[in-house]
Amino acid sequence: MSAEAADPAAVPRRRSRPRIDLRRLGRVALLGPVPRDRLPDAIGHVADAHRAHHPDADLGILHRAYVLAESSHRGQMRKSGEPYITHPLAVTLILAELGAETTTLTASLLHDTVEDTEVTLDQVREQFGEEVCYLVDGVTKLEKVDYGAAAEPETFRKMLVATGNDVRVMSIKLADRLHNMRTLTVMRPEKQARIARVTRDVLIPLAERLGVQALKTELEDLVFAILNPQEYEDTRALIAEVTGESDPLAPIADSVRATLREAGISSEVLIRPRHFVSVHRVRRKRGELRPTDFGRLLVLVGEDADCYAVLGELHTCFTPVISEFKDFIAAPKFNLYQSLHTAVVGPEGAVAEVLIRTHRMHKVAEAGVVALGNPYAPDPTAAQQAEPSDERADPTRPGWLSRLLDWQESATDPDTFWTTLRADLAQDREITVFGTDGRTLGLPAGASCVDAAYAQHGERAHTCIGARVNGRLATLSTVLSDGDTVQLLLAQDTASGPSPEWLDHARTPAARIAITGWLSAHPDAPGPEAGGAGDADGRTGSAAGGPQPTAPARTRSGGRAANVVVDGPESPTRLAGCCTPVPPDEVVGIVVRGGAVTVHRQECPAVAGMREIGRAPVAARWRDEDGGRDTAACRVTLVAESFGRPRLLADLTEAIATADAAIVSATVEPPSEQRVRHTYTLQLPDAAGLPALMRAMRDVAGVYDVSRAQHPAATG
């Protein structure tokens, strides 16, 4: 089953088995009636589809589950007039085409038996085992609450809890909803619209986040047809106009095949027609569709390295559209999706979008968590298992789902739960930030330091008084970017709490619910001015922004700055920020406005500039302490030149931290020709450690040079 309307004739079939095109069956529900003949060899289609993905699967349990489901539902009819058994069969066939493992298919066949027949959970457990019983029970619990307006929050709270304990429960629920949506036309229009809205607001985003694109895209088309009938008809007419005509992507696909064949890259090149909603979105984006906008090229290869080899050949032999390039292999999406996206100009000037991925990536892109098998299957190579627990740790569970499970327990008000659930599901991108200890945090795009504080520290975040982002002091309202390093600063006073202004900067449900809960429980708590935990700018009573970065003493009377001595009359002296001199640099002083002296490195451009305008430097030298070895703290600015790569910023900051240097400030310039320039102002406990620090930074993979900063600065 594909996430887009694939051409059945273009895809090679395994074992010459006739493929049941579920996309076509889904479109039939949209495009017109279909004869309702009895299903041939009822369970045979499911068995064939299952064996295509799992050749060694034991089909005996599926046959037994079908016999129990058929006998239990015998005499029951659907509103469409079909025997009820056609529903669990269709749901199971959808999951089999996605590659679900045997346990999931068995539970799918039985998913309505406990709710709608006299079969009990004990019978399911006795005949099919604990895992199948657990899944059937999870799906049954979701069906026990009516989909009335007031019941929706509680229904989906239960769905969320069940999904968190086992993602296969949600897989069955999504397939169940897909088949129900295909046959929704037998219901009243108002009920169709209500179910379609719930599907649009919650189930489709959940399918997206679980990576099950094959279900998500067909659900989108079915919802589109119900909620936007006129726009759907317009889109349908556009697709109908080009159906049957020669595909403008065909000659480009032939050229790509020839190019890759000549390069010796084994690949499959397929044309992937877009589904209805995708065509509609492209039309809204561009205004007028190009002939090639009705589909995309899909290139499937064997290994990850082949993906980049294909990309190189396409960008060499065709004119690439650089703005369309995205690398989701180096930086996968939050829902497991990996692929290279690009666009090239074909021989006749037509632009074709191209997806490049391995066969494994393609399977996961289509089926998401369904393609990952049974996450609870025992590992035969593992040591003796720990004591059983009611808590099931799912290795396939994404970080966003863990966060939802955490905050749903705190959201006791159904309206709050429903609002925050929909808001969180509306987030379509996730970022990863790093703690100073190397720990990673997954947050939605747009999250702030407030969100990071609650994600890392839970309720302890109530005492947060500030943050450092990439070593630089930042306000709690600072919006984080992918790859940032975050250090949260907590007050010692555990009785302090958040400011109401924090809610203006909290994006995650966990943060908003925790802050709201604390404020409700402490209505008379003092504000920041009275010594509370502070507002989103990190200000707090006497703390005034929390711990500040330590710095060497910069001004002293007597002609000294830290461990520098200058000749001449006694005057305030400071080390220059433009070149940040440290022992044993050759230094000179420059007299600035007010009579103060700024000490620079000899080669600093500011010194040459002062000489050019006739301002004479004054002699300066480092104090000789401890036998000539300087042990004073110092501040220095370093420039690292590197090639761009994932985690580079995290690795550099780790190297700096390992050398006991503190980051006072940091800037990263936009990449230029795959090269990145980082500038760090660092606080070192001992100037003698500077050479070792620079060597450690040069040893970071991708860094090809580290040097002292040489930039001009105002001198007065």
Side-chain angles (χ1 to χ4, degrees), residues 651-666:
D651 291 344
L652 267 172
T653 54
E654 181 180 359
I656 293 169
T658 303
D660 293 328
I663 300 177
V664 178
S665 66

Side-chain angles (χ1 to χ4, degrees), residues 506-537:
R507 296 290 178 267
T508 59
R512 296 188 64 82
I513 290 172
I515 296 167
T516 302
W518 192 92
L519 294 174
S520 299
H522 302 82
D524 300 323
E529 296 76 16
D535 63 11
D537 291 331

Side-chain angles (χ1 to χ4, degrees), residues 39 74 77 79 97 146 155 165 285 346 353 388 478 531 622 630 652 658 667 686:
L39 288 173
R74 190 173 298 160
M77 306 296 287
K79 290 185 178 180
E97 286 283 351
D146 180 41
T155 301
N165 288 335
K285 176 182 177 181
E353 295 183 38
T478 300
W622 300 106
D630 182 76
L652 267 172
T658 303
T667 59
D686 184 349

Side-chain angles (χ1 to χ4, degrees), residues 215-282:
L215 301 186
K216 177 240 182 185
T217 52
E218 188 175 346
L219 284 171
E220 281 185 327
D221 281 353
L222 292 161
V223 167
F224 185 41
I226 293 171
L227 298 183
N228 305 93
Q230 186 56 54
E231 292 177 324
Y232 169 77
E233 285 299 329
D234 293 343
T235 306
R236 175 184 173 182
L238 283 172
I239 295 174
E241 287 178 8
V242 300
T243 301
E245 298 179 0
S246 59
D247 194 331
L249 287 173
I252 304 178
D254 291 338
S255 297
V256 170
R257 291 188 188 99
T259 298
L260 300 181
R261 193 182 308 115
E262 291 175 5
I265 301 173
S266 178
S267 63
E268 292 181 67
V269 180
L270 310 175
I271 297 176
R272 303 264 290 176
R274 293 182 183 272
H275 62 102
F276 287 100
V277 171
S278 181
V279 171
H280 175 66
R281 287 172 180 159
V282 173

Side-chain angles (χ1 to χ4, degrees), residues 339-353:
S339 189
L340 295 178
H341 290 202
T342 190
V344 297
V345 181
E348 302 298 325
V351 176
E353 295 183 38

Side-chain angles (χ1 to χ4, degrees), residues 578-651:
C578 55
C579 57
T580 57
V582 299
D585 294 338
E586 296 292 330
V587 292
V588 296
I590 295 178
V591 180
V592 296
R593 282 193 295 265
V597 177
T598 302
V599 178
H600 295 256
R601 293 162 62 195
Q602 286 274 16
E603 62 271 25
C604 179
V607 176
M610 291 298 102
R611 284 195 173 104
E612 288 179 3
I613 63 174
R615 187 176 298 181
V618 297
R621 64 187 182 279
W622 300 106
R623 294 170 59 196
D624 187 14
E625 296 183 346
D626 298 330
R629 179 181 179 274
D630 182 76
T631 59
C634 66
R635 181 173 295 196
V636 63
T637 299
L638 300 179
V639 177
E641 304 280 353
S642 66
F643 297 105
R645 67 169 177 84
R647 284 191 56 84
L648 175 62
L649 184 60
D651 291 344

